[in-house]
Amino acid sequence: MVIQIQLRAAEPGDAAAIAAIYAPYVLTGTVSFEFDPPDARAMRGRMEASDGLYPWIVATNGEGRGVLGYAYATKFRERAAYRYVVETSVYVAGAVQGQGVGRLLYEALIDTLRAQGFTQAIGVISLPNDQSIKTHEQAGFRRAGQLREIGFKQGRWVDIGIWQCELNDSTVPPVEPKPFSEIGVVRG
């Protein structure tokens, strides 16, 4: 069965579907270092915390409903000097994994971040995770390093890999990124 995929900006009403997609990643593995999956209210709070600057994008079925996956960017670190850099994530519902949803989401997220004017995107991947590495590298990320035994989950220490994607040239002086609320989802 071929699924029709549409991408759009996430809306507050998507929070329950996003939380449902994310929960298995929290509960069944080491992809997420969270222990308790956030509910719809907590996920909506995370979305609202982007303050219109950082994108949240959902992939839906052909009718624009039925969230299949989501991608988002957040502040990389708290200090003001990092404001041109984002950390990115993408999660896909188990039923549609391996069907290109993650790749489409990541491509749109990267295109959107470029249009906004961010300079670098950072992906943090718990290791081992060949599928996530493949998805990141197909989206233009390159391995930048590894931190050993950085998180303890499911009875073991887990390494993380850092992947980096250059989005725009780092100009001097830098250009302030435009809010996602002004740009919207960009594809290609």
Side-chain angles (χ1 to χ4, degrees):
M1 176 175 106
V2 175
I3 57 173
Q4 297 295 319
I5 301 170
Q6 294 180 348
L7 302 178
R8 63 171 170 77
E11 301 166 354
D14 297 323
I18 290 171
I21 290 168
Y22 183 56
Y25 291 97
V26 173
L27 295 171
T28 63
T30 58
V31 169
S32 168
F33 280 6
E34 290 192 72
F35 284 82
D36 299 311
D39 62 12
R41 183 176 174 191
M43 195 59 78
R44 189 169 28 261
R46 292 178 185 188
M47 294 165 67
E48 290 168 355
S50 71
D51 288 328
L53 178 61
Y54 302 104
W56 280 73
I57 300 170
V58 294
T60 64
N61 64 17
E63 291 119 31
R65 298 183 312 253
V67 176
L68 306 172
Y70 68 101
Y72 67 98
T74 60
K75 186 183 297 187
F76 172 62
R77 304 233 3 206
E78 287 298 319
R79 307 289 192 281
Y82 294 114
R83 71 185 176 275
Y84 310 101
V85 179
V86 294
E87 185 173 335
T88 59
S89 294
V90 62
Y91 293 95
V92 176
V96 294
Q97 286 182 356
Q99 296 183 38
V101 175
R103 180 183 47 78
L104 290 174
L105 279 164
Y106 235 147
E107 287 172 359
L109 181 63
I110 295 301
D111 289 344
T112 301
L113 293 167
R114 282 192 170 113
Q116 287 182 262
F118 288 103
T119 61
Q120 303 286 331
I122 305 298
V124 179
I125 304 171
S126 62
L127 301 174
N129 190 335
D130 292 340
Q131 184 60 46
S132 186
I133 291 169
K134 179 180 174 183
T135 300
H136 279 80
E137 290 181 351
Q138 286 176 337
F141 285 78
R142 298 293 168 250
R143 187 182 187 107
Q146 182 171 333
L147 300 174
R148 292 187 64 248
E149 299 177 346
I150 202 75
F152 188 82
K153 188 172 179 187
Q154 294 192 334
R156 65 182 179 96
W157 286 101
V158 181
D159 296 354
I160 61 167
I162 310 295
W163 267 254
Q164 183 173 351
C165 179
E166 183 176 332
L167 300 170
N168 289 297
D169 291 336
S170 301
T171 61
V172 177
V175 177
E176 291 298 322
K178 298 173 187 139
F180 176 60
S181 57
E182 292 178 14
I183 301 292
V185 176
V186 177
R187 293 188 66 187

